Amino acid sequence: MSLPRIVALTGAGVSAGSGVPTFRDAGGLWRQYRFQELATPQAFRRDPKLVWEFYDWRRQRMAHCRPNPAHETLAEMERVLPDFLLVTQNIDGLHAAAGSEQVVYLHGDIWTLRCTRCTYKERNRQAPLEPLPPSCPRCGALMRPDVVWFGESLDPHAIARAWEAFEQADIALVVGTSAVVYPAAQLPWLTHEKGGQVIEFNTQPTPLSDIATTILGPCEETLPHWWAEFQLKLEER
Ligand code: BJW
Ligand code: ZN
């Protein structure tokens, strides 16, 4: 019998155990701002320095964070399961640091800067950053973090690849996401509608819990446990 096709969607909760703050849990404020006020193209146009400082602050916090057992388990799934695909909303780079190679990044990467006008991009691990966004070396326009803000389109290739994988999956693992931001939150519904199983790992229920088996608890504990049990079942077949 062939192995089941498994896909995973991760959110900020997968990195919570590594010390990266989530968005919507308690303490989600930076200075007096909610992240929804800063993670928009309008905010960057109005006050590029403020938004730049917000991302610099987050980069400085993330720079010292290391992958946890949830990231490591997802990296191992890729090595063991031939059709596994990891789709993440996270921008922190911890999946790559744990060794995941096949990753669809829906919301970009905080360690890449890109030009607001032309196609210039650069990897940048500097933390702290300069106090002001630099100018593009190619065209002179302002540089910005290569992340997807509210109201901006996701990379069409990334969303198409994720869409197909969730439609074809036998099992969708949904790890540490509040499942309220679209189009990412739509993905597990595709698996469900096609008759696949949705398994959610979260410390609390989400809007997906209606269609999912919800495993409550910190995913850095529950996901490695589920994976160990799952592998035993595979061996018994
Ligand atoms: C643990 C844990 C532990 C804690 N273990 N669990 C359809 C309907 C309604 C609105 C829309 C729609 N389609 C589009 C929209 C508009 C908008 C949207 O979805 N708005 C909703 C919020 C209402 N979407 C967009 O604008 C997207 N663009 C788009 O669709 O373009 C076309 C379009 C535009 C406008 C209108 C219509 C169409 C772009 C979305 C980009 C999101 N960007 C951000 C910021 C990225 C850069 C940055 O980091 O600064 O992405 S917002 C933020 O939310 C970030 C995250 O990736 C994303 C998801 O959050 P996540 O990861 O789920 O984190 P939390 O904090 O919410 O949840 C953490 C969870 O972990 C919780 O459940 C905890 O319980 C749990 N947890 N510790 C396990 N140890
Ligand atoms: Zn440029």
Side-chain angles (χ1 to χ4, degrees):
M1 223 166 88
S2 61
L3 290 167
R5 278 167 302 186
I6 303 190
V7 290
L9 173 68
T10 62
V14 80
S15 296
S18 297
V20 181
T22 61
F23 294 94
R24 294 173 180 78
D25 298 303
L29 283 186
W30 175 72
R31 299 187 190 164
Q32 73 273 38
Y33 303 99
R34 297 182 313 135
F35 78 91
Q36 293 94 330
E37 298 172 64
L38 299 169
T40 73
Q42 293 81 359
F44 189 72
R45 273 198 296 273
R46 195 185 317 124
D47 195 343
K49 183 171 189 290
L50 177 72
V51 174
W52 188 254
E53 284 172 1
F54 171 58
Y55 280 90
D56 186 27
W57 173 78
R58 291 175 56 202
R59 283 165 59 110
Q60 289 185 49
R61 290 202 59 159
M62 286 174 192
H64 304 288
C65 295
R66 294 288 158 262
N68 68 54
H71 299 106
E72 282 155 14
T73 299
L74 290 160
E76 191 183 313
M77 287 180 186
E78 176 183 309
R79 292 192 291 270
V80 172
L81 301 165
D83 289 324
F84 181 76
L85 187 69
L86 173 57
V87 177
T88 189
Q89 301 167 81
N90 297 348
I91 60 169
D92 55 34
L94 290 178
H95 285 307
S100 287
E101 288 175 4
Q102 292 295 320
V103 187
V104 174
Y105 295 95
L106 292 178
H107 295 163
D109 170 25
I110 201 169
W111 304 109
T112 301
L113 304 179
R114 70 173 164 90
C115 177
T116 49
R117 189 193 294 149
C118 77
T119 56
Y120 180 78
K121 275 191 189 194
E122 66 181 33
R123 287 280 297 163
N124 180 315
R125 291 285 312 194
Q126 184 189 324
L129 286 160
E130 307 301 329
L132 285 170
S135 301
C136 171
R138 204 181 284 165
C139 80
L142 282 190
M143 297 291 285
R144 56 164 279 184
D146 187 20
V147 299
V148 182
W149 285 327
F150 284 113
E152 293 187 319
S153 303
L154 281 68
D155 172 3
H157 298 290
I159 193 66
R161 210 171 149 211
W163 204 270
E164 193 186 359
F166 275 79
E167 274 189 340
Q168 293 175 351
D170 300 305
I171 303 176
L173 307 175
V174 183
V175 190
T177 176
S178 57
V180 296
V181 174
Y182 286 83
Q186 189 65 36
L187 295 169
W189 289 91
L190 304 174
T191 307
H192 174 71
E193 281 158 14
K194 296 273 178 179
Q197 192 189 359
V198 179
I199 309 178
E200 171 179 59
F201 300 81
N202 203 307
T203 47
Q204 55 185 357
T206 74
L208 274 181
S209 304
D210 290 345
I211 59 157
T213 302
T214 302
I215 301 180
L216 289 177
C219 62
E220 59 276 23
E221 292 169 15
T222 56
L223 188 66
H225 183 77
W226 178 86
W227 175 234
E229 302 262 294
F230 181 79
Q231 283 178 298
L232 283 179
K233 272 189 238 152
L234 283 185
E235 279 165 24
E236 281 164 15
R237 293 202 311 184

